[in-house]
Amino acid sequence: KTLTRLAIGYEDTSNGNYKYAIQGGFDGGTQANGYTNYTVDDLPDAGGYLSLAFYDSGSNDNKRFKPAMSYYDASQSGLRYAKSSDGGATWSADYVPGATKNVQGLYTQLIFDNLGQANIFFFDRTNNEARRAILNSKGWTLTDLRAGGREMHVSQNATGNVAYSSLNEAKGLLNVYVI
């Protein structure tokens, strides 16, 4: 949803941080190979499992759809969510409450539902279950989905129906669920 530009989120393993890159030259970032790179979150030990999605900010400027990311923080074994307020240069990042104990936040998949709410699907390795976190006006709500959760992938159609896949290694099954 960047409309005319390619964009990616990635882990900079050399420096232990997460970054966002968008095609073209923009202020506030580092220019490299035709992209502007921004630091999203600087952590002692990043951890991977990131997902990039764009939310509709409602603005009428050329940056109406702004980036957000979910990812795993290996140093704290928790799920983090970051959101840009200006299209990429400024980010706010924090842990998802209730998803920071033991090992949670792997295989994250971030989408925005028809209400504009962030939905993060992720794997709770400690309990071997797929979980979903939804951010609404009151904060985060977490739901246990079912056993499994590795290799999770999420898709949403135009009417808002969500489907996700979940690998349950204990049973050797890859399942697809519609919610």
Side-chain angles (χ1 to χ4, degrees):
K1 291 191 177 182
T2 60
L3 301 178
T4 59
R5 304 197 182 269
L6 299 174
I8 61 168
Y10 65 98
E11 177 186 4
D12 178 356
T13 54
S14 300
N15 298 303
N17 54 33
Y18 290 97
K19 294 191 174 181
Y20 167 73
I22 186 166
Q23 187 179 30
F26 297 96
D27 293 333
T30 304
Q31 306 299 313
N33 301 316
Y35 284 81
T36 303
N37 295 269
Y38 301 101
T39 298
V40 174
D41 201 354
D42 191 7
L43 301 168
D45 187 17
Y49 304 105
L50 70 94
S51 180
L52 171 68
F54 294 84
Y55 69 96
D56 186 346
S57 68
S59 69
N60 291 320
D61 61 13
N62 63 351
K63 293 183 182 177
R64 178 175 174 173
F65 294 97
K66 296 181 173 39
M69 290 173 54
S70 62
Y71 47 93
Y72 177 66
D73 175 5
S75 65
Q76 298 297 317
S77 297
L79 176 63
R80 288 181 67 83
Y81 171 73
K83 181 177 173 181
S84 176
S85 59
D86 61 5
T90 306
W91 291 81
S92 60
D94 207 349
Y95 291 97
V96 175
T100 57
K101 294 180 180 174
N102 302 314
V103 183
Q104 296 187 64
L106 291 84
Y107 303 102
T108 71
Q109 292 288 299
L110 171 64
I111 63 169
F112 288 89
D113 62 24
N114 290 352
L115 300 174
Q117 300 174 137
N119 285 247
I120 304 172
F121 291 76
F122 63 97
F123 176 55
D124 174 349
R125 188 174 80 189
T126 302
N127 297 304
N128 188 39
E129 66 184 5
R131 299 187 78 196
R132 180 184 190 185
I134 301 173
L135 179 61
N136 59 38
S137 61
K138 296 177 184 176
W140 290 98
T141 302
L142 276 72
T143 305
D144 298 335
L145 298 173
R146 50 187 36 97
R150 288 183 186 265
E151 304 299 335
M152 187 174 289
H153 298 280
V154 178
S155 181
Q156 181 180 24
N157 69 13
T159 60
N161 295 322
V162 175
Y164 71 95
S165 63
S166 175
L167 175 64
N168 184 341
E169 286 187 325
K171 294 186 177 183
L173 297 173
L174 177 64
N175 297 299
V176 176
Y177 304 99
V178 178
I179 51 175

